[in-house]
Amino acid sequence: MSFPTEKSPQVLDATESPDIELSKETPGQSPGSVTARRQKWYEWFAPTDTPAERRLILKLDGLIIVFVFLAYWAKVLDSSATSTAYVSGMKEDLKLYGNQLNYLNTVYYVGFIVMQIPLTLLMTRCPVNYFLPAADLLWGVFTLAQYKVSTITQLYALRFFVGALGGFFFPAVQWYLGCWYKRSELSRRGAIFFIASQVGSMSSGYIQAGAYDRLNGRFGLEGWRWLYIICFACTVPIAFLGLCLLPSTPDKCNSRFLTSDEIILAQERMKSENREARQPFTWPGIIRILKGWRIWVLVAFAFFFSQADGVSSNSGLSLWLKAEGYSVGKIDTITTVSPAVTIIASVICAVLSDIYDAKASLIAITAVLNIFACVVLAIWNIPDGLKFFAFFLSGTADGIAAIIYAWANEICAHSAEERALVISAMNTIGNTFGAWIPLFVWKTVDAPRYLIGYNWTIALDVCMLLMLVVLHHFWVREQKLTRA
């Protein structure tokens, strides 16, 4: 399935950039007209970017992308710390039995889900350069406090606040990136940010295992308590780095690293994208957002996307390898291929999206690949090589995350408040359903052949393709009305 790209070739003055080449005259084209050379896949800047723009973009990458990458990586460490701590002595020390681990995860997700939209909207009212690092620092403090707990009740309370302070980070950063970067730059930056979660997944096991082996019993502390101390130690320097580096938003920017000319240039760049500055929240404005098509279509689309990564997120590969008699070492090594595939897919999709503006086509291709992988796994009785290929191929499902949120930033460009509400609602709905649907679809008793889960994922991807047609229709129609 292919869709037309969302933008037409730019026609510019030949004196504006040395990278713009004269084109041959074609019928109906005025003599001497020129078109911009298309950006190459390996080029970081667009040919039309001026030297001043390139300096600004490099500064923004150093000030913003470095922080959000490191901060997201640290949060992934904590998301797995409790499960690791549980099997590393916390269960016995706190006398946790029955379903307490499930309850801990539930409390975490309650804070994670309930506070996503309110905190993301609150951030739009505050200086972002202080809000994000301060929330990160508080998240680190609540994470550290978990090493001192002596009862499960204390741990429940702390896990709620850890979930609340960490849960809004993803949609908040997506909104923040949309305040600074053009649509031809967003997907790559969003991909770098998203890749941090995959790097965190690949590195967390090694970090936590090494910490437990070397620190268990040190200074009279059990190894599982050291896990939380390490998470805190990773977070605090990153939070202070954010306080030192992050600029606010272009409309109210106070950065020691950006000149006044660069701030004006950033404002002009956002105006050229029709990306509006922040405005006060009003009830008529909220009602207008709720009456529009964007929030409903984008949130519905996000539901199908967020659940379609079930193959890679429900341990099907590791459980199959265990059933086949693979050693723990080989299982740990082989399962790192899936996040590596996600990283590669994210980079490829982001580059192609920014250069060719082919978001719809990339989403459609990824959905088809995931359908193929799930069909193969649903059949199950196939050669092992094909089964490995299907498991690894399913890692591409999350590769389109960056371009989906970049597209949401573009679609809602006219209102900073709508961008914040829509992006946070998209992420919230995915996490809300992701917290309980696996209990019915990805049942452990069905492992390693999750027949229901694979068929469920096929249905999700088919629905995502249908919603993609709906989303593309509304977006193209709105563009035509705007141009008219």
Side-chain angles (χ1 to χ4, degrees):
M1 180 184 298
S2 64
F3 296 88
T5 56
E6 285 87 352
K7 63 180 179 182
S8 56
Q10 294 173 310
V11 179
L12 303 170
D13 184 5
T15 62
E16 291 184 15
S17 171
D19 291 320
I20 298 178
E21 303 170 349
L22 289 174
S23 63
K24 295 181 179 180
E25 293 181 21
T26 57
Q29 185 179 23
S30 59
S33 64
V34 296
T35 57
R37 174 178 64 81
R38 186 180 292 280
Q39 183 177 358
K40 302 292 193 303
W41 67 269
Y42 54 83
E43 292 179 327
W44 194 244
F45 305 105
T48 53
D49 289 338
T50 65
E53 276 190 285
R54 297 185 181 194
R55 286 193 296 271
L56 173 62
I57 292 168
L58 281 179
K59 278 190 176 183
L60 294 176
D61 291 341
L63 298 174
I64 297 174
I65 303 302
V66 172
F67 167 74
V68 299
F69 181 94
L70 293 174
Y72 201 28
W73 169 81
K75 284 174 173 53
V76 174
L77 289 182
D78 174 74
S79 66
S80 59
T82 297
S83 297
T84 303
Y86 183 83
V87 298
S88 302
M90 184 173 72
K91 175 182 177 181
E92 292 75 17
D93 290 345
L94 299 185
K95 298 179 173 57
L96 306 182
Y97 302 103
N99 292 319
Q100 278 89 346
L101 180 60
N102 291 336
Y103 297 153
L104 282 172
N105 291 332
T106 299
V107 169
Y108 173 85
Y109 273 108
V110 168
F112 192 97
I113 293 168
V114 170
M115 299 304 297
Q116 267 193 6
I117 294 177
L119 287 178
T120 304
L121 296 182
L122 178 62
M123 188 188 71
T124 66
R125 304 296 94 202
C126 304
V128 181
N129 54 322
Y130 298 132
F131 192 91
L132 275 179
D136 214 39
L137 185 60
L138 282 174
W139 174 84
V141 170
F142 280 107
T143 298
L144 175 66
Q146 293 173 95
Y147 100 94
K148 290 288 289 182
V149 297
S150 57
T151 67
I152 186 63
T153 303
Q154 296 170 349
L155 197 56
Y156 284 148
L158 292 173
R159 291 304 292 170
F160 174 85
F161 287 106
V162 168
L165 290 166
F168 87 101
F169 189 75
F170 182 84
V173 168
Q174 296 291 347
W175 177 86
Y176 183 42
L177 295 178
C179 293
W180 284 101
Y181 290 102
K182 298 168 72 172
R183 65 177 181 177
S184 59
E185 302 160 351
L186 266 175
S187 294
R188 276 171 291 173
R189 275 72 184 183
I192 293 172
F193 169 60
F194 176 75
I195 285 171
S197 65
Q198 306 303 310
V199 175
S201 297
M202 296 171 70
S203 62
S204 61
Y206 300 107
I207 293 174
Q208 291 166 356
Y212 182 84
D213 292 341
R214 290 174 173 78
L215 296 175
N216 187 28
R218 185 72 61 92
F219 301 112
L221 294 177
E222 297 87 347
W224 68 267
R225 297 184 187 272
W226 278 106
L227 296 179
Y228 293 113
I229 296 175
I230 289 172
C231 287
F232 171 77
C234 291
T235 301
V236 170
I238 296 171
F240 280 108
L241 180 70
L243 284 172
C244 295
L245 296 183
L246 287 185
S248 186
T249 51
D251 56 315
K252 295 181 180 179
C253 186
N254 52 348
S255 172
R256 64 174 64 90
F257 298 103
L258 298 177
T259 66
S260 56
D261 288 341
E262 287 172 333
I263 293 172
I264 293 173
L265 176 59
Q267 294 170 347
E268 292 173 347
R269 278 163 44 88
M270 292 301 97
K271 287 180 181 177
S272 70
E273 296 282 298
N274 297 318
R275 197 106 19 101
E276 295 294 333
R278 291 178 290 181
Q279 301 293 332
F281 267 114
T282 62
W283 280 113
I286 294 175
I287 293 173
R288 176 183 54 79
I289 293 172
L290 295 177
K291 284 184 175 180
W293 65 267
R294 301 177 195 88
I295 187 168
W296 303 110
V297 174
L298 284 167
V299 169
F301 181 81
F303 163 75
F304 295 114
F305 159 72
S306 65
Q307 307 305 310
D309 68 343
V311 178
S312 57
S313 63
N314 285 281
S315 307
L317 175 58
S318 59
L319 293 174
W320 173 62
L321 293 174
K322 183 177 181 180
E324 292 294 307
Y326 283 77
S327 65
V328 174
K330 286 187 176 181
I331 293 174
D332 290 340
T333 302
I334 293 173
T335 52
T336 60
V337 175
S338 291
V341 170
T342 301
I343 291 173
I344 294 171
S346 297
V347 172
I348 293 174
C349 287
V351 170
L352 295 178
S353 173
D354 279 349
I355 294 176
Y356 296 101
D357 201 9
K359 299 178 182 68
S361 297
L362 290 168
I363 293 169
I365 291 170
T366 301
V368 171
L369 292 177
N370 204 31
I371 288 173
F372 173 77
C374 290
V375 168
V376 170
L377 293 173
I379 296 172
W380 193 255
N381 294 318
I382 54 176
D384 286 352
L386 182 57
K387 195 174 294 185
F388 272 116
F389 177 76
F391 273 121
F392 295 152
L393 185 63
S394 67
T396 61
D398 279 332
I400 54 176
I403 65 176
I404 287 174
Y405 284 93
W407 203 1
N409 266 307
E410 180 182 348
I411 290 172
C412 301
H414 65 285
S415 169
E417 291 68 39
E418 184 171 25
R419 282 197 299 116
L421 180 58
V422 170
I423 289 173
S424 57
M426 288 168 65
N427 200 53
T428 297
I429 198 71
N431 286 296
T432 300
F433 284 92
W436 60 270
I437 282 181
L439 299 176
F440 300 95
V441 176
W442 301 95
K443 296 180 180 179
T444 305
V445 294
D446 295 336
R449 185 187 181 185
Y450 289 110
L451 183 59
I452 297 175
Y454 300 140
N455 284 293
W456 166 247
T457 305
I458 292 170
L460 287 170
D461 278 304
V462 171
C463 291
M464 187 168 73
L465 288 171
L466 294 175
M467 282 303 304
L468 180 61
V469 174
V470 174
L471 173 58
H472 190 267
H473 166 74
F474 275 104
W475 178 227
V476 170
R477 187 186 69 174
E478 180 165 303
Q479 286 181 306
K480 289 180 179 178
L481 291 174
T482 301
R483 286 193 293 266

